[in-house]
Amino acid sequence: APASLESSKRVDAFGLLPGHEIEASDAEQAYVQAELTGTPTWVRLPRDRWPKSWEGMRDPVCPLRLALYGHPDAGGCWEAHCAAKLALVGFKPVPTWDSVYFHPVLNLMLMVYVDDFKLAGPKHHLAKGWELIKRHIKCDAPTQVGRCLGCEHRVFEEKSLSGTVRCIEYDMEDFLKGCVKNYLELSHSKPDSMKKAPTPFIEEPSERIVGEKEPDEQPGYLQPIACKVLMKILYAARLARFDLLRAVSSLAAEITKWTRLCDRKLHRLVCYINTTLKHRLIGKVGDGAERLFLDLYSDADFAGCRKTARSTSGVFLALRGENAFVPLGASSKRQSCVSHSTPEAEIIAANT
């Protein structure tokens, strides 16, 4: 499987250590660097690609030798090819971290996301690391990490009382502008409907009248487009905008029972995104690796879902030190059972 978004941040954190750097490169036509294995596949070629020996044939076919883009097995063949070639030059897979490798001799950490390579470690070892990779895998010339996985990465230094702190900024402003534009087009809304919103939530009525459905409980108008809008926002939320996770996950759970209240919530969420386009996720490291530790924060609301009385777990993982703080991952997920007290809901969240 490709590397996870959380794995990408771990490689970034490793690259922020004193004396370390982060560089990235793309594999050239990655899939067709691998041989196609498994069930034999035969293909037709465009007529202008026929060899002379095929002239006069009615419908010639030939075996597909390379893992061509679009073939259902191409991704798996490339992944196996990549792992095998990296093993030849000393990169060892990190247990439980798919497509993440470590070179124990050069102290380098490598993430592979399809054809994107991100390498972090001691600055004086990076050139050697890329040399080893390029022995068996064709790659572009490496550059300082910039745009990766659809997110702009900016590495910079700051001065603090304890010395120099290296920082990384995750910027998804352009992607989120696309999310807002996508919503406006699909919902046929006007740009001036995007009002300033300090939070992604609306105030819901605290009481419900038994009997006839309230207007907010009628089927929503935006149900046909809700999934397209929310899934695009979810990517940005998971990568660099943890403040959106709660709102997105709660609306995603309503896709099959969408109401007009959900319409209002979705509009408010997009208004909040439009208001906070300048928000950034930032990590910093000013300590050596031996002084860093992991901090896991968990919390839960109590009976936050009015329909099911279920609570929602919130979890946040960060790499910390006296002069370091790197966000590594976060999640917001509705619990699968009904808790009977706040302590019970929070214990379930801690066990997530």
Side-chain angles (χ1 to χ4, degrees):
S4 66
L5 300 181
E6 293 75 17
S7 295
S8 178
K9 287 193 174 64
R10 285 157 174 77
V11 175
D12 292 336
F14 189 70
L16 292 179
L17 292 172
H20 287 203
E21 290 288 350
I22 314 168
E23 292 183 348
S25 176
D26 290 340
E28 299 176 5
Q29 299 181 326
Y31 283 8
V32 294
Q33 292 189 40
E35 296 276 347
L36 184 65
T37 58
T39 305
T41 301
W42 295 76
V43 295
R44 295 181 175 91
L45 295 182
R47 195 171 187 88
D48 61 350
R49 298 293 181 180
W50 283 17
K52 290 183 179 181
S53 60
W54 285 13
E55 292 299 329
M57 294 185 181
R58 187 178 63 183
D59 188 16
V61 294
C62 63
L64 182 62
R65 188 174 65 84
L66 301 180
L68 191 67
Y69 285 90
H71 191 285
D73 294 333
C77 293
W78 159 248
E79 184 178 336
H81 170 85
C82 186
K85 298 305 181 184
L86 291 173
L88 290 176
V89 293
F91 282 94
K92 301 182 182 300
V94 177
T96 72
W97 286 15
D98 291 328
S99 298
V100 179
Y101 305 87
F102 187 75
H103 199 291
V105 177
L106 299 178
N107 193 27
L108 296 174
M109 187 178 292
L110 172 68
M111 180 206 76
V112 181
Y113 189 92
V114 190
D115 61 348
D116 292 331
F117 287 66
K118 185 193 289 186
L119 186 66
K123 187 175 182 179
H124 58 282
H125 284 166
L126 288 176
K128 179 62 176 179
W130 288 117
E131 178 192 334
L132 293 176
I133 293 169
K134 290 183 177 182
R135 285 183 186 179
H136 304 288
I137 299 173
K138 295 179 182 178
C139 296
D140 295 336
T143 60
Q144 186 179 35
V145 66
R147 189 173 185 82
C148 182
L149 305 182
C151 177
E152 291 292 341
H153 296 54
R154 298 189 183 93
V155 179
F156 57 96
E157 293 185 350
E158 286 184 349
K159 297 294 184 181
S160 69
L161 295 176
S162 58
T164 301
V165 177
R166 301 191 69 237
C167 308
I168 188 167
E169 176 185 274
Y170 299 95
D171 176 6
M172 297 207 72
E173 181 174 351
D174 290 341
F175 183 89
L176 288 169
K177 284 181 178 177
C179 292
V180 174
K181 182 180 179 182
N182 183 50
Y183 169 78
L184 292 175
E185 290 176 351
L186 292 174
S187 65
H188 305 291
S189 301
K190 295 181 179 180
D192 58 11
S193 68
M194 294 288 100
K195 307 299 183 183
K196 185 175 181 180
T199 74
F201 307 104
I202 64 173
E203 290 189 15
E204 299 184 51
S206 57
E207 297 181 357
R208 295 177 60 189
I209 301 175
V210 179
E212 188 175 344
K213 282 188 176 182
E214 294 294 309
D216 276 346
E217 296 177 347
Q218 300 293 335
Y221 300 112
L222 300 181
Q223 195 275 338
I225 69 164
C227 190
K228 290 182 180 179
V229 174
L230 287 171
M231 292 305 100
K232 187 170 184 177
I233 296 173
L234 178 61
Y235 182 75
R238 291 183 58 220
L239 185 54
R241 288 294 303 271
F242 297 160
D243 54 319
L244 303 177
L245 285 171
R246 176 68 173 88
V248 174
S249 62
S250 62
L251 280 172
E254 303 293 330
I255 292 291
T256 59
K257 42 188 180 293
W258 197 266
T259 65
R260 293 183 189 176
L261 178 61
C262 297
D263 286 347
R264 293 172 51 209
K265 289 181 177 180
L266 180 58
H267 186 79
R268 172 66 176 233
L269 170 61
V270 180
C271 286
Y272 173 74
I273 292 172
N274 193 58
T275 303
T276 59
L277 290 171
K278 298 296 182 183
H279 283 198
R280 305 286 187 265
L281 184 69
I282 296 178
K284 63 178 184 178
V285 175
D287 299 317
E290 69 283 353
R291 301 176 62 188
L292 300 178
F293 53 90
L294 289 173
D295 257 1
L296 181 66
Y297 303 85
S298 67
D299 202 354
D301 62 7
F302 176 56
C305 178
R306 297 178 183 275
K307 294 180 181 179
T308 65
R310 291 180 182 175
S311 305
T312 298
S313 299
V315 179
F316 174 65
L317 177 66
L319 184 68
R320 286 199 56 209
E322 186 177 348
N323 301 292
F325 189 90
V326 182
L328 297 178
S331 71
S332 177
K333 184 178 180 181
R334 185 176 296 175
Q335 297 178 1
S336 58
C337 61
V338 176
S339 298
H340 296 85
S341 66
T342 298
E344 182 180 351
E346 293 183 349
I347 290 172
I348 293 172
N351 192 45
T352 300

